[in-house]
């Protein structure tokens, strides 16, 4: 799987009075891509250690497309 080009930005509109729990962790070191253009495994790596937060969405209607980054 190749990395997402990050073409869109999405937002969570949490209704007043509602709460969700976010799970916070450090990102692991990962390959930049599966294969190079020549078909060989690449050695370029994303260094990891950035903080990521995952919000399990309770209601998909709270999610909306905010904008396109193209």
């Amino acid at each position: 799987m190749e990395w997402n080009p990050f073409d869109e930005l999405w937002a969570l509109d949490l209704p007043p009075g509602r709460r969700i729990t976010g799970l916070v962790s450090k990102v692991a070191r990962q390959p930049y891509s599966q294969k190079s253009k020549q078909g060989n495994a690449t050695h370029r790596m994303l260094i990891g250690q950035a903080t990521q937060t995952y919000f399990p969405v309770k209601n998909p209607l709270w999610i909306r497309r905010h904008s396109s980054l193209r």
Side-chain angles (χ1 to χ4, degrees):
M1 179 171 115
E2 302 299 326
W3 284 99
N4 185 326
F6 198 62
D7 292 334
E8 298 176 328
L9 184 62
W10 292 76
L12 170 67
D13 290 325
L14 191 62
R18 300 302 299 254
R19 293 176 56 171
I20 59 173
T21 300
L23 307 172
V24 179
S25 68
K26 296 284 184 186
V27 178
R29 187 172 182 254
Q30 300 176 46
Y32 182 76
S33 64
Q34 286 184 348
K35 296 190 182 249
S36 67
K37 291 181 181 176
Q38 293 81 16
N40 300 324
T42 182
H43 297 289
R44 291 174 46 188
M45 299 288 287
L46 299 172
I47 60 172
Q49 298 306 309
T51 300
Q52 70 178 2
T53 305
Y54 169 74
F55 295 101
V57 177
K58 303 293 184 191
N59 185 336
L61 298 176
W62 295 348
I63 304 298
R64 64 177 171 80
R65 185 169 179 249
H66 183 272
S67 62
S68 174
L69 301 175
R70 287 185 179 190

